[in-house]
Structures are given as structure tokens and as C-alpha cells.
Amino acid sequence: MAWLMFEEPTAQGHPLLTATGRDSPAAGETAVLAEVTKQLLGALAIDDAVRRSLTACVPLLACWAQLLVPGRHGYTCTSVGPEDGRTATVQVARPATVGPLSGHARVLTTGLAEVVPIESIAFWVADERTPRELRARGAAELLVLPLIARGVPFGTLALADPGTGHSDPEPTLVTELAGRVAVALDAARVHAERARIADAVAARRAANRPASTPGIVLASRLRRGTRPAEDGGDFLDVAGTAGDWLVFLGDVVPCRVPAPLLSVQAQDIVRGASRFERRPAELLRALNLELTERSRPGDDVRLLSAVCLRVLQTSADALDVALSVAGHPRPLVVRRAGDVEVVAVHGRLCGASTTTVYTEVQVSLGPGDMLLLVSDGVPDAEGVPGRFGVDRLARLAYAYREAPPAALADAVDLAVTEFTARRPGEPVDDSTVVVIGTEPP
Amino acid sequence: MTNALTDDARAAYGAAVGRSDRQAAVAVVRNLLANGADPVDVLVDLVCATQVLVGARWQRAVCTVAEEHAATTIAEAAVAAVGALIPEPARPLGRALVACPEREWHALPVRVVAEALRHHGWSVIVLGASTPAQHLADYLRSRRIDLVALSCSVPAALPPARRVVEAATEARVPVVAGGRALGSGPVRAAALGAAAWAASPHALADVLGALPAAPDALPGVARDRQVDLAELLLRTPEFSAATAGAWHRALGADGHGEADARWEVDYLAEHVVHSLAAALITEDPSVISECQTWLTLLLTARGHPAAAARMLLDALRQTVETHLVVAPRLLETAALPG
């Protein structure tokens, strides 16, 4: 790469190029690049990638370094000095890209490295004293390198060193360094864009709650497993109005459609249908028809298990629950008086067949009674010995029959996690626990 | 502590917790704050202090686990009430991730730490109980985090805490560790590689003021301890079962108390296995002696002889002595006379 000189070039080689490995330049450069690469590995957040890039440069290659990366409204300029490794950041407007440009703006436009006087950074730093302080350290000039990814210059890396010259026509080390920083930052930018979308979807999958109703208590614990996020996943949605709640717990069967997307689709279908119909069996029927009709057999099948509840408050300490299931573990009723019963209700997975009919059962909860819902990650949890199972779950629920719903939810979450921890390294499915009840007497 | 935290307030809060009266407990807390009590004082010296008393009641077999959990839900409501009155900082000093390592299920201290950090001007994200290091690492990789605050109440959490510290250090985020399992000084936190140890949420402000921008390299773990820790991780169920069996035999027909329920024997055997791993990872034998003291109170309250705790540790030593390198000697030297 040829350098464009902003100021009159000097004849000496840039000290950055000879900062290490003077006796064996090639070995020194290799060591520096290996160290920088190691520091850049694993940085997925832009802030982290910027921080890692700068600390890789200072003090190894320069006494001060700065990165310009594009933001939503301009550029984020982050610098690090030699004192304590702390970074300073300033936002600047996007500069013009035509006309007699200088310094950073010119590098951003041309994609060619430049050497500029140290005073030219005044516009790009948070503290106006920075150029003076750098000159006092003996750094008269700044080496500004383009950050190029996918063929487009998108930012700059600027390095200041107390050395004296900078005109080596083939600055292999620093240009290679800038190239690696550019790749790391570009990967972080791509990741950040995808993470924003994933976060938005994840926020939709988290439990929404209607306004709290005195007398109705709902406790939930959703623990993500160790399988890839797109392979499956539990979700929980709670909607409705005061005294009339709709609870929808589902688990996506791994398929070609990413689980987060399918779970959001399912929530939207059920929420939309619930504006006209609140019976759980009818809501599951609507979901089943939608999923089945969107599926293409053998290619794009969309299956999920679900349990859907309508919780009606009939008095200050009594609830009537209507519930239906679709291929989901059956709920348990935990009576404060001592009985733990499995609710006798059945139904096929949603998305399997348009002819599926869902049944509905009614459960009445008195003071202190609870309804325990779990995803299949609870009874199917693999530990030592064997599966966690419904019997173990029922015994645990019995022990907590007089405790508040949150305590039972915590106890199940703890028991399942400790059970699966006995098989370290084995993949673990998502597990969700939902407990609905009245206030204890 | 401010004068607002009166004995009357403590008694009223304790009574509310005792009868699972959430609204009364929250009312006590709100009243204290309205009268000028410091939020961190209320959280630590009232809510947590009461919870410690509840835990002691369970240890002395005065209340059940379920009753202790019920008290915890009241405490959580009280913490939420305090948190609702702490404003979000307009210009946060930084963003902190607050979590428990795996096997740490005491989520209440984490919520208290989170509110204390907010009170001190930090933006806070709470990951909650038993957070796998992998989940925490994913979070650190994709978001700007300036601090990880780690709460460890039980010894079983210390080996996983090391993995969390490793993940944070790789992401160049300093870790502040605290909690009962870290003892009364900075030794265990330092052995885990944490940048700092906080004696309590009261100490957080001073500790954070002295934190480095990026953590130092982690202290190494000696090869022989690594080997023992790996064996303990892979064979916890096997070692626990063998220890439980040996202990049962050692106790004999007359030594059995109420802890004979199979799950309690299993739980206690697993507890000493985890405590051994904690002593190995922190290189601190006092983890074992603390474990023994705690077990002695628990077991004598349930009808076991005073020597039962020592017998349990001896059963563990017999179980592992042909399989592990460092651990048998550690158990031998650390255990208190029975």
C-alpha cells in the first residue's frame, strides 16, 4: 500500500514498524500480530472489540491510539492513552466526503493511510488538551490507517508514537494490524445487528403479564438449556384483564423454522384469536390450524406443544381454571390439604393435523391451592438415575403444598437443575415452571 | 445504620415474615424509608438480617425448608419495595451484571446487591440464581458490561464461580465477589481470581472506587488440585452415594436421628463433596472446618450425636482416599476434632 502524505514526508522509517523485533523484524511482527489476534478473538460486542483493539495497540505499538467507527448519526471516536488503560469516547458528526479533505476524513474517503500532524485530531477527541499532551510526550505526528472490510473503508485506526519518522512505503505490520482490527470490528457490527433482532424476539418470548389482580398469584421460572437457541425453546405468555387471565405456555419442536420465530408467531396467533374467543380448546384449535396450514410436509413443518389456560377469579380466594393441552406435560393440581393430582387432559401437538380436536377440563382452586405447569424439560430431564419424571415432581409438589407459588416454582427449578448437573457436559433442554394459585389463607 | 431502623421496626418486620404477611412486611420497609432510613441499611440490616435468622431456625430444625422459602418470598417482596424507591441513575457510573454461579440458589442476596449498586449509581442487569458460566459469557460477549458482581452463599458455588471469573476475565471485565461462602476475608475471592472482595453490600462503594479498569491474569490452579477437582466433578453422584453409605454404617443403629430420610442423607453427603471441591479451588482448608461447624449444629438439632459431622467428613475421606491426590490430606488436616 502506498501512503499519501498530508505533511511533507520524512525519510526515516516509522518507529511503529520497528518497535519490536529490531533484530529479527519478521519474527517480531509475527509475535505482535499473534498477540493482537489473540486479544481480538472472541469480541462480539462493538464496544468490546474497540476496547480490545486499542489495548492491543497501547503501549505495545504506540503511546496513544484511537478508533473511529461509524454510529447511527456520525462517528464514535474512542481513544486510549498509556496511563491506566481507560478509554475516552466522543461522538462527532459525519464529515463531508468531497472537497479539500484532510486527515481522518480523507482516509475514510480514500481508504489510503496518511500521516497527519498531531494537532489535526483536535476535532476527533473528547479533551482539547490531548494534542498538546501528545506533543509534550514527543509524538509530533499521527499515523492514520483505514479500516476496510468487505472492500469498503468504514473507520480509521490512528496511532501516535514518540518516535520521529513514519514514511516506510510498505508498513506491513501496522497495515496488517489495521486489517485484523477491521475484520474484528466488522464481525462485531454484523453480530450487533443480528443481536438487536434476536433481543427483540427474545423480549417477545419473555413472559408478558396483565395488570396484577389481587388474589391471583403467578410465579414462573424459565431456564434456557444448553442446546442452540434455534433448535427449540420454551416460551410463556400471560395476557388478559383483571380477574380474567390467559396463560399460554409452549415448547417448539426443533424444525427448519428457527424456534424463536415460531414461538413469536404462535404467541401472536393466540393473542389475536383471544380477542374474539377465550376458550383454551378453541385457541389451541386456531393455533393448530394456522401452523398446519403454514407447514409444508417434509420441508417446513411447524410443530409445538402447548398448554393453554383461562384463569377466572370467582371470589377473593378462589379461581376457576379452564385448560387444554397440545402434546404437553399435563398440569398438576396441588391442594393445600394434601392431594397432588395429575389433570386428566389430552391433545395432540399443534401443527400435526388439521383434524385434531382439543378437549377442555375445568379445575377449581381454593385458598392456597396451586396449579403447576411444566414444560417437558422438567419430567424429561436426564440425570442420575434416569429421568426426573412426574412422580418425583409430584412428591416435590406435595412437600411444598403449603408454600407460596414462588417457593414451589423455585424448588422445582432447583431440583431439576441439580438433577441434570449430575451429568456434566450433557445437553440440557429448556425447562419452564409456572405455578398459579390464590393467596395463601 | 440510621436511627430509623428501630427495634420496633425489626420486631414488626420479623412478625410479618413469621406469619407470611407480605403486605405488612412491605409496609414496614416503606415506612422506614419514608422516615429517612438508608435503603442499603434496610436491605442489609433488616431484610437480610431477618433472613439469616430464618435460615438459623431451619438449621436448628425449628422450621421446614418450605417455611424458609415462604419467608424468602416475603423478603423478595420487601427488596422489590425498596428497589421501587431507588431511582435509575441518570448518568450511570457503569453497567454491572449481577449473578449467582451455578449451584447457588440464594437469589435474595443477588437482588440486594443489585439494589445496592443502583443506589450507588450503577446501571444493573440481574441474571439471578444458578447462572451457567456459558450464559454469562454469552452476555458479556454481546453487551458492554463494566463489572460482574458475583454472590456466593454456599460452598458448592465456589468451583462454578471460578468458571464465571474465567469468563469475565476473558472478556476483560473485573469481578467483585461476595457472600457467606467466601468467608470473612479476601483470600477465597483472590484465589478464584476475582478483582475484589466485598465484605457486604455496605462495602461496595469503597470497593468499586478502587477497581482496576481491566482484571489481572487469573491465578493458576496446581495440577494435582485440578485433577482432584475434575474427578469430583465427574464422580459427584458416585462419591456422594458411597459417602452416604459409609456414614450410615458408621452412625450405627443408635446414631440415627431425623436426618435418616434418604434425601437428607444424600443432600448432606453431596454437601460435603461440594465443600471439598470448594476447599480445593480456593486452597483454603477452613472451608472444611466451617462446613463441619455448620453440619454439627444442623445434625444435633435433628437428633444425631455431636460427632456425626466429623463422622460424615471421615466417611468422605475414606471414600475418596484411593481416588484423589490432595483431597484426603486436606480433609485429614482441616477437620475439627469430633
Side-chain angles (χ1 to χ4, degrees):
Chain A
M1 172 184 290
W3 286 32
L4 292 179
M5 296 304 165
F6 179 74
E7 289 280 302
E8 188 178 334
T10 67
Q12 294 174 296
H14 196 284
L16 296 182
L17 302 177
T18 53
T20 58
R22 286 176 192 276
D23 296 334
S24 175
E29 290 182 8
T30 303
V32 169
L33 288 171
E35 176 61 24
V36 170
T37 304
K38 184 179 161 191
Q39 294 200 36
L40 291 175
L41 284 174
L44 293 182
I46 291 176
D47 287 346
D48 189 30
V50 166
R51 191 165 42 177
R52 287 175 186 238
S53 300
L54 291 172
T55 51
C57 293
V58 176
L60 188 63
L61 291 170
C63 71
W64 183 89
Q66 183 196 53
L67 274 169
L68 262 69
V69 294
R72 190 165 288 175
H73 304 296
Y75 281 87
T76 302
C77 312
T78 308
S79 59
V80 63
E83 284 80 15
D84 55 6
R86 290 183 192 276
T87 56
T89 298
V90 64
Q91 307 287 335
V92 301
R94 193 180 303 277
T97 54
V98 291
L101 304 178
S102 65
H104 289 67
R106 193 177 168 90
V107 176
L108 283 167
T109 307
T110 65
L112 298 174
E114 301 234 2
V115 175
V116 301
I118 209 78
E119 286 74 16
S120 72
I121 60 169
F123 175 72
W124 308 90
V125 292
D127 187 342
E128 61 183 20
R129 292 170 299 183
T130 301
R132 215 164 42 244
E133 288 171 359
L134 287 175
R135 188 170 277 281
R137 287 177 174 276
E141 294 169 328
L142 198 64
L143 180 59
V144 184
L145 298 144
L147 299 176
I148 302 172
R150 291 176 277 173
V152 178
F154 66 91
T156 66
L157 168 65
L159 302 171
D161 191 76
T164 53
H166 42 66
S167 64
D168 189 311
E170 292 295 334
T172 314
L173 173 61
V174 285
T175 50
E176 182 64 30
L177 171 89
R180 295 187 188 200
V181 168
V183 169
L185 287 171
D186 187 56
R189 283 199 305 166
V190 171
H191 177 78
E193 286 165 11
R194 293 181 179 177
R196 270 199 295 275
I197 297 168
D199 284 352
V201 172
R204 284 292 321 279
R205 298 175 83 194
N208 300 301
R209 298 282 169 88
S212 66
T213 301
I216 304 182
V217 183
L218 184 144
S220 61
R221 304 289 181 267
L222 196 162
R223 182 167 291 272
R224 290 278 168 234
T226 56
R227 299 179 199 279
E230 66 271 20
D231 265 7
D234 296 357
F235 61 90
L236 173 65
D237 196 15
V238 186
T241 56
D244 185 0
W245 289 14
L246 194 68
V247 180
F248 178 44
L249 169 62
D251 182 10
V252 174
V253 176
C255 58
R256 293 188 64 170
V257 182
L261 185 64
L262 187 47
S263 63
V264 169
Q265 281 181 350
Q267 286 177 55
D268 285 345
I269 291 166
V270 170
R271 278 218 171 207
S274 72
R275 292 189 176 278
F276 310 100
E277 171 63 69
R278 305 296 293 270
R279 287 175 294 177
E282 287 300 292
L283 292 172
L284 288 183
R285 189 167 74 92
L287 176 63
N288 177 57
L289 290 173
E290 277 293 315
L291 292 183
T292 309
E293 286 171 6
R294 292 182 193 193
S295 296
R296 290 194 293 276
D299 179 43
D300 186 14
V301 178
R302 298 164 188 230
L303 296 172
L304 60 82
S305 68
V307 54
C308 188
L309 279 67
R310 184 180 187 185
V311 181
L312 277 171
Q313 189 174 37
T314 52
S315 71
D317 55 5
L319 305 175
D320 272 353
V321 181
L323 66 89
S324 297
V325 301
H328 201 85
R330 289 179 289 168
L332 299 180
V333 179
V334 185
R335 301 287 180 196
R336 188 177 176 83
D339 293 337
V340 177
E341 312 148 9
V342 177
V343 178
V345 60
H346 303 272
R348 291 178 71 189
L349 287 171
C350 284
S353 165
T354 53
T355 59
T356 302
V357 175
Y358 295 98
T359 56
E360 198 167 287
V361 300
Q362 300 286 330
V363 175
S364 296
L365 299 178
D369 292 345
M370 296 180 281
L371 189 64
L372 171 60
L373 316 175
V374 295
S375 65
D376 63 0
V378 172
D380 293 346
E382 291 283 347
V384 177
R387 286 171 71 247
F388 190 83
V390 175
D391 289 346
R392 195 187 309 261
L393 180 66
R395 285 197 299 275
L396 188 60
Y398 177 81
Y400 280 80
R401 66 192 181 281
E402 294 181 358
L408 175 57
D410 275 341
V412 175
D413 186 25
L414 186 158
V416 172
T417 307
E418 290 296 317
F419 190 73
T420 53
R422 292 177 168 207
R423 291 163 56 99
E426 291 291 319
V428 177
D429 198 3
D430 288 2
S431 66
T432 304
V433 186
V434 180
V435 186
I436 299 156
T438 62
E439 297 278 3
Chain B
M1 189 185 310
T2 66
N3 291 330
L5 215 58
T6 60
D7 288 345
D8 285 349
R10 290 173 195 281
Y13 181 81
V17 171
R19 59 177 190 274
S20 294
D21 189 339
R22 184 169 53 87
Q23 290 182 352
V26 167
V28 172
V29 164
R30 285 189 180 143
N31 196 36
L32 283 169
L33 295 172
N35 288 326
D38 180 79
V40 181
D41 286 350
V42 173
L43 291 169
V44 176
D45 300 325
L46 180 70
V47 179
C48 290
T50 303
Q51 205 59 24
V52 168
L53 294 177
V54 173
R57 283 167 54 81
W58 168 76
Q59 195 181 10
R60 296 197 311 274
V62 178
C63 72
T64 64
V65 173
E67 287 167 333
E68 188 193 10
H69 280 217
T72 304
T73 62
I74 303 297
E76 284 172 349
V79 173
V82 176
L85 296 174
I86 298 174
E88 282 296 328
R91 296 172 63 85
L93 297 173
R95 186 191 282 183
L97 199 61
V98 188
C100 297
E102 277 180 289
R103 297 195 178 284
E104 179 55 76
W105 291 93
H106 295 84
L108 185 68
V110 159
R111 295 188 177 117
V112 169
V113 167
E115 297 306 342
L117 281 168
R118 280 206 307 130
H119 181 61
H120 292 311
W122 284 70
S123 163
V124 177
I125 298 166
V126 181
L127 293 186
S130 195
T131 304
Q134 179 63 48
H135 289 187
L136 189 131
D138 290 346
Y139 220 94
L140 290 174
R141 270 204 292 268
S142 56
R143 290 165 178 83
R144 172 68 185 262
I145 300 292
D146 303 297
L147 170 75
V148 171
L150 204 55
S151 174
C152 306
S153 298
V154 296
L158 297 185
R162 166 78 184 201
R163 289 200 289 274
V164 170
V165 174
E166 285 173 2
T169 302
E170 187 184 312
R172 297 168 180 270
V173 180
V175 176
V176 174
R180 195 174 54 212
L182 289 168
S184 55
V187 173
R188 292 179 200 168
L192 293 174
W197 167 72
S200 84
H202 286 306
L204 274 175
D206 289 342
V207 168
L208 296 178
L211 265 188
D216 295 331
L218 282 177
V221 177
R223 174 74 187 165
D224 50 5
R225 283 189 291 133
Q226 281 185 11
V227 170
D228 278 10
L229 282 163
E231 284 296 305
L232 281 172
L233 172 70
L234 293 171
R235 300 169 71 177
T236 294
E238 174 193 339
F239 288 157
S240 300
T243 301
W247 185 45
H248 215 256
R249 288 191 297 277
L251 284 169
D254 299 331
H256 296 176
E258 292 168 24
D260 288 342
R262 186 70 215 174
W263 75 268
E264 283 197 349
V265 171
D266 292 345
Y267 166 77
L268 296 177
E270 209 164 284
H271 179 76
V272 292
V273 172
H274 288 316
S275 296
L276 176 58
L280 286 167
I281 196 79
T282 58
E283 211 171 357
D284 185 355
S286 67
V287 174
I288 298 295
S289 47
E290 285 172 17
C291 166
Q292 187 180 346
T293 305
W294 182 84
L295 281 171
T296 299
L297 185 55
L298 183 96
L299 290 168
T300 52
R302 286 159 177 78
H304 282 281
R310 172 66 198 235
M311 293 162 80
L312 179 54
L313 290 174
D314 287 343
L316 173 61
R317 182 173 51 77
Q318 289 160 19
T319 300
V320 301
E321 64 188 352
T322 56
H323 303 288
L324 304 185
V325 183
V326 188
R329 196 169 63 251
L330 178 70
L331 284 166
E332 181 69 47
T333 56
L336 304 168

